[in-house]
Amino acid sequence: MAVKSPSSESASELNETRFSEVFAIAKQALTYVGLFRTPPTPEIYQLWYRFVEGADEKLRAELSQAMDARAINTSQLDELYHRYFPNIVDFDTHAHVGNSLAEQLEAVQGLLQEQSRAQNEFGQSVQSTHERLQTPALDSAAMSRCLEQMLASNAQMQAKLAETDSRLNNSQQQIQSLQSELHQAQKAMFTDNLTGVSNRRFFDLLMQQTTAGSNRESANVPGLCVLTLLDMDGFKHINDSFGHADADEVLRHLAGVMQRAVGDGSLARLGGDEFAIVHRVDEFEQADQLAESLRKSFSAKQLVLQRSGLTIGTLTASMGVAVLRDDDDRHSWFERADKLLYAAKNAGRNRVMLETRLGRS
């Protein structure tokens, strides 16, 4: 799109179009901030601004649904922001760390070249001294000068090596620090802020990698790959009855229970009270056993809020379990598990629905 220069449109046109439209969107966005009592952080303001602007239909539909249910809260908006907007901070961190690592590695290469040059120069000096010492009838004074020159060259080389060693150690420490920073940035990019388990971004990447043909052909791993989608039953009641802070505490507890139960599997929070588990089993019955064990663990005891001491009671969960097939891509695999989850909900909740129970093996 071509951008008009100030001289190509009048001041009145600028005021009546661009300024008035942007101002109206900003004003409405701030209205939503106040209406739902959400903090006016740059991230939440940007989310409401994009909602009012209407450019992203999926975001608008999801936020509209939450508004109709009066289920807007800060943690939900934070989750939506990280899902619909690229994490600018994370990408900036990656770019900064990547550039810094490149600079440090280039510096290391330069230092190694300096060391090599110093050693070569000393070698040439030793060779030159050796040749002069072979001169017939070499007097003591000339011999002394040769030895002094060789000792001076050695001292110069040792000083240079000591200097470059110190600079190499410093560069190595900086590289290790940058690598740690990069690792932390990558970890944060794929971690759910509320629960500490993996997030939707990680789950999407995992699904893509797991269903990739190259991975299936190269992974000579026995057994079946299973996707379990899990949704807590009636979790909205906890938000409405106890408040969002207590509901967040419950979600963190539930995520901890699931994380311990899945073992080597991968757990991710997809949003709200919906989670996904990707894991391998030797036999399909083991997938049923894991899901049933999880389901029973939720309702096994009364939950008491640590923060307030209030009793939540028992919770139940519905689950859909689907096995990865040879012809699956990540969408078909997910859609099948999602249908099974809704089948469990429609069948009365607090149950596990597997493909075998719907006539598919």
Side-chain angles (χ1 to χ4, degrees), residues 102 144 149 254 299 303 309 328:
S144 178
Q149 184 177 359
L254 295 173
S299 58
L303 291 182
D328 270 332

Side-chain angles (χ1 to χ4, degrees), residues 120-136:
N120 288 337
E121 289 171 1
F122 178 69
Q124 292 172 2
S125 175
V126 170
Q127 181 62 30
S128 175
T129 301
H130 173 74
E131 291 174 355
R132 276 182 285 172
L133 288 173
Q134 302 303 314
T135 303

Side-chain angles (χ1 to χ4, degrees), residues 141-302:
M143 185 178 294
S144 178
R145 285 194 299 272
C146 287
L147 293 174
E148 288 175 359
Q149 184 177 359
M150 188 171 66
L151 291 172
S153 296
N154 179 63
Q156 184 178 5
M157 182 198 69
Q158 294 298 332
K160 187 66 176 178
L161 290 178
E163 177 194 352
T164 54
D165 276 344
S166 175
R167 290 161 63 188
L168 278 171
N169 287 333
N170 183 58
S171 289
Q172 185 179 15
Q173 291 175 2
Q174 292 189 48
I175 288 173
Q176 290 174 344
S177 176
L178 289 167
Q179 287 174 330
S180 175
E181 186 179 345
L182 181 60
H183 173 74
Q184 292 301 319
Q186 289 172 334
K187 183 178 179 181
M189 181 179 289
F190 293 113
T191 300
D192 177 60
N193 293 334
L194 176 64
T195 62
V197 302
S198 299
N199 60 12
R200 182 62 183 257
R201 183 185 287 117
F202 172 84
F203 173 74
D204 289 340
L205 180 62
L206 176 64
M207 291 287 284
Q208 183 176 354
Q209 291 178 341
T210 305
T211 57
S214 59
N215 282 354
R216 294 189 194 182
E217 294 169 5
S218 61
N220 298 317
V221 181
L224 303 168
C225 198
V226 179
L227 169 62
T228 300
L229 295 184
L230 180 151
D231 189 85
M232 303 308 299
D233 298 326
F235 193 80
K236 183 177 180 297
H237 171 71
I238 297 178
N239 271 317
D240 296 341
S241 301
F242 297 91
H244 300 304
D246 287 337
D248 288 348
E249 181 183 329
V250 173
L251 281 175
R252 284 190 288 269
H253 166 74
L254 295 173
V257 171
M258 286 182 269
Q259 187 71 75
R260 290 188 292 272
V262 300
D264 295 334
S266 296
L267 170 69
R269 181 182 177 221
L270 304 187
D273 56 320
E274 186 175 3
F275 293 82
I277 302 168
V278 177
H279 60 112
R280 282 192 171 272
V281 294
D282 295 327
E283 298 176 349
F284 193 73
E285 288 72 16
Q286 291 177 340
D288 189 12
Q289 292 170 5
L290 172 64
E292 285 291 351
S293 175
L294 254 180
R295 185 187 66 80
K296 292 175 182 177
S297 69
F298 293 134
S299 58
K301 59 181 180 180
Q302 297 277 332

Side-chain angles (χ1 to χ4, degrees), residues 5-26:
S5 65
S7 60
S8 65
E9 60 180 356
S10 66
S12 61
E13 288 176 330
L14 180 63
N15 289 335
E16 292 175 4
T17 56
R18 295 171 62 191
F19 178 80
S20 60
E21 290 175 4
V22 170
F23 183 80
I25 293 173

Side-chain angles (χ1 to χ4, degrees), residues 85-101:
F85 298 94
N87 196 324
I88 305 300
V89 174
D90 285 340
F91 288 125
D92 283 350
T93 300
H94 277 68
H96 164 71
V97 173
N99 291 335
S100 299
L101 275 172

